[in-house]
């Protein structure tokens, strides 16, 4: 049973309320990411600051800074959001982290307002959009991770224990 003691790599989501809701029905981008990375690593949702994680040995090139989405909330100006999004991209470059510029990509879409469910947080459509932006970045930073167990369709039905015996 040594296969059960295997330590799985982890991808940790760090952020604000948009990250907090990333596994909810509307905020499903975390769930989409976990599904995409199944059998490679665990996706864990935490709301910590980046400095905390980097001080605990997470390599900078494995950190992805996701800029804010556009907003249709009247208390938050998109002009200010654009500045914040640009600062996120610059901070990622300066620190050697990866980034996803959600704001810039989102406002290129004709009906970007439909990517929000309450004017600030992503709807399920917005989450799928964010996932599509994240997928190539996450694929790159997890490329060296092997599949830990095969897809069920690849299991030899005559010897189904082989993947679990380390062979």
């Amino acid at each position: 049973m040594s296969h059960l003691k295997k330590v799985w790599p982890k991808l940790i989501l760090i952020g604000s309320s948009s990250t907090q809701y990333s596994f909810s029905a509307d905020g499903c981008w975390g769930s989409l990411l976990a599904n995409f990375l199944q059998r490679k690593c665990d996706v864990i949702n935490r709301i910590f600051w980046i400095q905390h994680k980097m001080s605990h040995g997470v390599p900078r090139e494995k950190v992805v800074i996701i800029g804010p989405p556009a907003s249709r909330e009247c208390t938050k100006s998109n002009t200010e959001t654009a500045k914040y999004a640009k600062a996120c991209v610059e901070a990622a470059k300066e620190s050697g982290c990866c980034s996803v510029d959600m704001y810039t990509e989102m406002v290129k879409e004709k009906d970007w307002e439909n990517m929000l469910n309450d004017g600030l947080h992503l709807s399920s459509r917005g989450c799928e959009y964010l996932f599509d932006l994240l997928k190539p970045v996450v694929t790159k930073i997890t490329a060296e991770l092997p599949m830990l167990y095969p897809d069920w369709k690849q299991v030899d039905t005559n010897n189904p224990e082989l993947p679990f015996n380390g062979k």
Side-chain angles (χ1 to χ4, degrees):
M1 290 293 208
S2 63
H3 66 281
L4 296 178
K5 294 179 184 177
K6 189 176 285 196
V7 177
W8 286 67
K10 292 165 183 50
L11 181 120
I12 302 172
L13 306 178
I14 302 167
S16 63
S17 57
S18 292
T19 303
Q20 177 183 348
Y21 300 135
S22 68
F23 281 84
S24 69
D26 274 343
C28 63
W29 66 270
S31 302
L32 292 168
L33 201 56
N35 184 57
F36 178 68
L37 293 170
Q38 63 181 308
R39 293 184 314 280
K40 280 191 114 178
C41 64
D42 290 329
V43 177
I44 299 171
N45 186 352
R46 297 288 182 262
I47 301 178
F48 299 139
W49 295 105
I50 281 179
Q51 256 102 7
H52 173 76
K53 285 287 127 203
M54 284 198 231
S55 68
H56 284 82
V58 177
R60 294 176 185 276
E61 64 275 3
K62 299 288 185 182
V63 173
V64 181
I65 297 176
I66 302 171
S71 172
R72 62 172 194 256
E73 191 175 89
C74 61
T75 61
K76 187 176 177 184
S77 159
N78 266 336
T79 303
E80 292 302 312
T81 304
K83 290 178 190 175
Y84 182 64
K86 183 178 179 184
C88 287
V89 171
E90 289 173 6
K93 284 180 185 173
E94 288 174 16
S95 63
C97 299
C98 301
S99 67
V100 170
D101 188 354
M102 180 67 174
Y103 175 85
T104 301
E105 295 303 317
M106 189 173 170
V107 295
K108 291 177 185 176
E109 300 297 320
K110 181 180 176 184
D111 56 348
W112 64 264
E113 293 92 348
N114 292 329
M115 293 185 200
L116 303 168
N117 64 9
D118 62 0
L120 177 63
H121 296 99
L122 298 174
S123 65
S124 57
R125 182 169 173 254
C127 289
E128 289 175 17
Y129 188 78
L130 174 56
F131 171 68
D132 287 341
L133 294 174
L134 275 169
K135 198 173 1 178
V137 177
V138 170
T139 297
K140 179 181 174 188
I141 65 174
T142 62
E144 82 285 353
L145 296 177
M147 287 295 193
L148 297 174
Y149 294 109
D151 185 272
W152 67 271
K153 295 178 284 262
Q154 297 170 332
V155 174
D156 180 352
T157 56
N158 294 321
N159 295 298
E161 70 282 350
L162 287 179
F164 303 102
N165 292 332
K167 297 178 182 171

